[in-house]
Amino acid sequence: MPSDSEIAVVLVYPDILGTYGDRGNALALVHRARARGLAARVVEVDTGQVVPATAEVYLLGGGEDSAQHLALGPLKRDRNLARALGDGSTVLAVCAGFQLLAHEFTGTEGQVEQGLGALDVRCGRLRERAVGEVVTEPVGVAGVPTLTGFENHRGDAVLGPEARPLGRLVRGVGNGDERTEGAVQGRVFATYLHGPVLVRNPALTDHLLEQSTGPLAPYDDELAEQLRQERLHQARLPHVRSRRRRGPGQG
């Protein structure tokens, strides 16, 4: 990307997909880009508006089951996100966004919905809701240290041969297989981690930016790293567990 170009970070449907402060992922991307002297801005696209087809990064956040279903129809009709992926844009999808990009996901009544198919993943339902802190060791992203976040979802994720896990599960429920969390396929990155995940994990933020910018200059954000270390420490305490509980909610 030329040095004088502006990085456009598109928040897709933040009016319905943005549970647990997932909007903060956009702020983290812009903050860390500008810290390197790069021009960057957030573009918010609410439900019913046309998604730009030429941005560098797209973000889909979490949402309740009803919001996830509300987002599905407009995203299928608006093909610009698919066009952007075909042109090499980067996507981060969190929780409900993760399921929307899958081949299919299971709704609250057990019905199977066809997703956007950007990920070779099929999402079913966990028997109980996964709630709590998560620690995962990245395997789908080079040079990114241990990831931390929190989960609150009923979806699992079964990866097909074209997708690989974002990380190896250390603590938490993640994809529901007791082994993996999230998915990566090309420049599509998906996870059940809130936090927001990019605020908690600055190296992952930089990795997403570098998909468009190439290698970034070093940036020592002491407060961000302090937050990451604090959350990792808290998640690893013996009394802290991700748990499964019954009840409605997101993802």
Side-chain angles (χ1 to χ4, degrees), residues 14 16 34 49-50 56 89 91 96-97 101 109 120 128 130-131 135 143 161 166 168 175 177 191 213-214 229 238 250:
I16 59 174
R34 291 176 177 172
Q49 295 178 330
V50 176
E56 283 71 34
S89 296
V91 176
L101 293 189
E109 304 301 322
D120 187 16
E128 297 182 346
V131 182
V135 178
L166 174 66
R168 177 181 60 80
N175 292 344
D177 60 3
T191 180
T213 65
Q229 293 295 338
Q250 295 75 24

Side-chain angles (χ1 to χ4, degrees), residues 121-143:
V121 174
R122 286 171 169 78
C123 297
R125 301 284 286 184
L126 297 169
R127 299 177 73 176
E128 297 182 346
R129 173 163 294 276
V131 182
E133 290 289 317
V134 179
V135 178
T136 183
E137 295 292 345
V139 296
V141 284

Side-chain angles (χ1 to χ4, degrees), residues 199-221:
V199 175
R200 285 201 184 193
N201 301 282
L204 180 60
T205 312
D206 289 350
H207 183 81
L208 297 183
L209 285 172
E210 287 177 339
Q211 304 304 303
S212 300
T213 65
L216 292 167
Y219 171 50
D220 184 13
D221 191 339

Side-chain angles (χ1 to χ4, degrees), residues 42-70:
V42 177
V43 179
E44 296 194 13
V45 181
D46 285 339
T47 313
Q49 295 178 330
V50 176
V51 176
T54 58
E56 283 71 34
V57 185
Y58 295 80
L59 303 175
L60 290 85
E64 297 182 355
D65 292 324
S66 57
Q68 184 173 331
H69 284 276
L70 281 174

Side-chain angles (χ1 to χ4, degrees), residues 13 15-17 46-48 63-77 96 100 105 113:
Y13 302 170
D15 54 328
I16 59 174
L17 297 176
D46 285 339
T47 313
E64 297 182 355
D65 292 324
S66 57
Q68 184 173 331
H69 284 276
L70 281 174
L72 181 60
L75 283 173
K76 283 186 173 181
R77 291 190 293 271
L100 285 166
F105 61 89
E113 303 278 1

Side-chain angles (χ1 to χ4, degrees), residues 5-9 29-31 33-34 37-42 209:
S5 297
E6 184 177 52
I7 301 168
V9 178
L29 285 161
V30 169
H31 169 73
R34 291 176 177 172
L38 300 172
R41 65 188 174 101
V42 177
L209 285 172

